[in-house]
Amino acid sequence: MRLAALTFLVIGARALAHPQHAGGGPLAADLLHLLTEPDHLAMILAPLVVAGAAWFALRRRAQTRQKKK
């Protein structure tokens, strides 16, 4: 069952690929593509934003705990 789910996940992701996915092009071209396409850029920045928000929240929580002591 897990193998089937993984297979569908991989096939589904490949089906959503847009035509500019070169696959095997020069590394610089692939990196440029990843950093200039809005959908790729969003997938790169979203985890960074979530991690940054969590870090600030935990930092603020730690500061308020220190003030209570």
Side-chain angles (χ1 to χ4, degrees), residues 31-67:
L31 286 175
L32 182 64
H33 172 77
L34 289 174
L35 296 175
T36 56
E37 291 292 324
D39 54 342
H40 294 299
L41 196 56
M43 295 307 291
I44 292 170
L45 292 177
L48 294 175
V49 169
V50 169
W55 182 74
F56 280 118
L58 290 173
R59 188 173 150 204
R60 181 186 301 168
R61 185 177 176 192
Q63 287 176 351
T64 57
R65 284 186 177 185
Q66 286 179 354
K67 288 180 182 178

Side-chain angles (χ1 to χ4, degrees), residues 3-31:
L3 181 59
L6 182 62
T7 302
F8 286 129
L9 179 69
V10 170
I11 290 172
R14 184 72 179 149
L16 293 174
H18 49 98
Q20 290 85 14
H21 281 143
L27 181 61
D30 287 341
L31 286 175

